[in-house]
Structures are given as structure tokens and as C-alpha cells.
């Protein structure tokens, strides 16, 4: 069965790739992630995915569409609900790519991360699949998360320190106030 694998980043692709190949699936990767900010971080993750693709013999589809403006327009008014919009934007693009490319189904490496909203990803992906008319292949890849990250370390693949958007970057780094720390 030919499956389109939406890939959020190189390290997260390693375990799903292995697991689905073990099931006998034929895979092609798809990189569409306008949620990765800033642009140089996006390029860094894109490069990391290419290292994985080369190491694992994976073909990757990529339309050079860095739709930062579209992403921000959708989430700026409702930052607390941003992940739903983020999943929808990315998975709808993947579903449409799968339909156009004649794939039997699509799935996503987002399902490997224990840090993501797993149930919401599944719900959004199933809604999108219904709208577009291409099946969503659900798997819980989370038990293989550590194994995938270990393999990424062995390959020397860049492992990003925050989820992707500027909101997640702020949450990761803006916990302490340098002005307060300096006054101590
Ligand atoms: S935190 Fe991650 S999943 Fe949520 S909107 Fe930002 S990039 Fe997307």
C-alpha cells in the first residue's frame, strides 16, 4: 500500500518510517510545515530531513511553499487554539497531496511525539480525510519515540529545542526575565 507520510521533522520521521516499512507499506515523505519559525530554523529542519531521507532511502515531496503569512493569519486571533489550526493547515495539505498523487492513504510523523496533542491530531486528520476523500492511516507511534530520537543522535541529525512556531519558541525560552535576574 502506497502511503504519503507527512513529516514534521527529520528526527520524528525515523520511528514511523521503520514501523510502517515493517508493516510492508511503501512510503513517500511530504514536507509542508509553515509553522516552523523563523525561516532559518525552517531551512535547518529541512536540511535535517534531507539527511534522514538520504540515510533511509526515502523519497520526499516538497512544494516550496513557506506560507508563514497564512499560518499567522489563522492563529493570531486565537493563539490558545493555535495547535488545532496548525494541524489542520498541514494535514489538509498532506491529504490533498495524497489525493492528487494517487496514494491509498496519508499519515503523519506528528503521531510519534509525546509532546504533541495526540488525540487532537487524530481528530483533525480524520475530519480532513473526510473532507478531502482520502483515508487517514492512524497509528500510535509514541512507544517508539525514544528509539527514533536515539537513532537521530547516532546519525548526527539536528534535533530542535522547540515545537516550531514563534509561540512555542517564546514558551521555551521566555520563562525567566533577564532584567530580574540581573537585579538580583
Ligand atoms: S506549538 Fe507546535 S503544534 Fe502548536 S501551533 Fe505551534 S508549531 Fe503548531
Amino acid at each position: 500500500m502506497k502511503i504519503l507520510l507527512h513529516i514534521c521533522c527529520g528526527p520524528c520521521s525515523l520511528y514511523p518510517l521503520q514501523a510502517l516499512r515493517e508493516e510492508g507499506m511503501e512510503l513517500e515523505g511530504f514536507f509542508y510545515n509553515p509553522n516552523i519559525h523563523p525561516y532559518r530554523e525552517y531551512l535547518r529542519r529541512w536540511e535535517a530531513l534531507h539527511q534522514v531521507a538520504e540515510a533511509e532511502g526515502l523519497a520526499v515531496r516538497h512544494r516550496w511553499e513557506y506560507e508563514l503569512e497564512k499560518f499567522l493569519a489563522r492563529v493570531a486571533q486565537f493563539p490558545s487554539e493555535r495547535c488545532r489550526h496548525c494541524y489542520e493547515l498541514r494535514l489538509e495539505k498532506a491529504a490533498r497531496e495524497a489525493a492528487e498523487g494517487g496514494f491509498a492513504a496519508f499519515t503523519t510523523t506528528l503521531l510519534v511525539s509525546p509532546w504533541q496533542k495526540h488525540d487532537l491530531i487524530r481528530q483533525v486528520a480524520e475530519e480532513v480525510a473526510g473532507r478531502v476523500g482520502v483515508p487517514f492511516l492512524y497509528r500510535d507511534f509514541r512507544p517508539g519515540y525514544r528509539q527514533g530520537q536515539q537513532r537521530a543522535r547516532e546519525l548526527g541529525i539536528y534535533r530542535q529545542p522547540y515545537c516550531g512556531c514563534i509561540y512555542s519558541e517564546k514558551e521555551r525560552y521566555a520563562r525567566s526575565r533577564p532584567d530580574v535576574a540581573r537585579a538580583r
Side-chain angles (χ1 to χ4, degrees), residues 35-36 71 75 82-84 86-87 90 110 116-117 163-168 171:
N35 60 304
I36 302 172
F71 175 88
V75 306
R82 66 183 185 267
C83 297
R84 165 175 276 283
C86 178
Y87 297 147
R90 291 189 279 169
L110 288 164
Q116 293 290 335
K117 297 174 169 65
C163 187
C165 63
I166 45 176
Y167 304 95
S168 62
E171 283 169 4

Side-chain angles (χ1 to χ4, degrees), residues 133-149:
V134 61
F136 170 62
L137 181 81
Y138 172 73
R139 293 287 182 276
D140 185 355
F141 297 120
R142 288 174 295 182
Y145 177 74
R146 286 185 188 284
Q147 187 184 321
Q149 294 296 313

Side-chain angles (χ1 to χ4, degrees), residues 41-58:
E41 175 70 16
Y42 175 77
L43 291 180
R44 201 169 178 193
R45 296 190 196 187
W46 163 244
E47 287 299 329
L49 168 59
H50 271 266
Q51 275 179 267
V52 167
E54 218 170 281
E56 301 295 321
L58 177 72

Side-chain angles (χ1 to χ4, degrees), residues 44-129:
R44 201 169 178 193
R45 296 190 196 187
W46 163 244
E47 287 299 329
L49 168 59
H50 271 266
Q51 275 179 267
V52 167
E54 218 170 281
E56 301 295 321
L58 177 72
V60 178
R61 291 174 170 233
H62 178 252
R63 293 188 185 174
W64 202 256
E65 291 175 2
Y66 181 62
E67 298 178 312
L68 167 73
E69 298 80 2
K70 191 170 175 180
F71 175 88
L72 290 176
R74 279 184 71 155
V75 306
Q77 272 190 302
F78 311 102
S80 61
E81 292 167 32
R82 66 183 185 267
C83 297
R84 165 175 276 283
H85 292 285
C86 178
Y87 297 147
E88 196 174 47
L89 191 63
R90 291 189 279 169
L91 295 174
E92 182 150 348
K93 186 74 90 174
R96 294 197 183 282
E97 187 76 21
E100 281 172 28
F103 288 82
F106 73 101
T107 188
T108 175
T109 59
L110 288 164
L111 294 169
V112 79
S113 172
W115 313 111
Q116 293 290 335
K117 297 174 169 65
H118 191 92
D119 295 339
L120 182 60
I121 294 167
R122 184 178 189 178
Q123 185 196 328
V124 168
E126 280 166 0
E127 286 167 10
V128 162

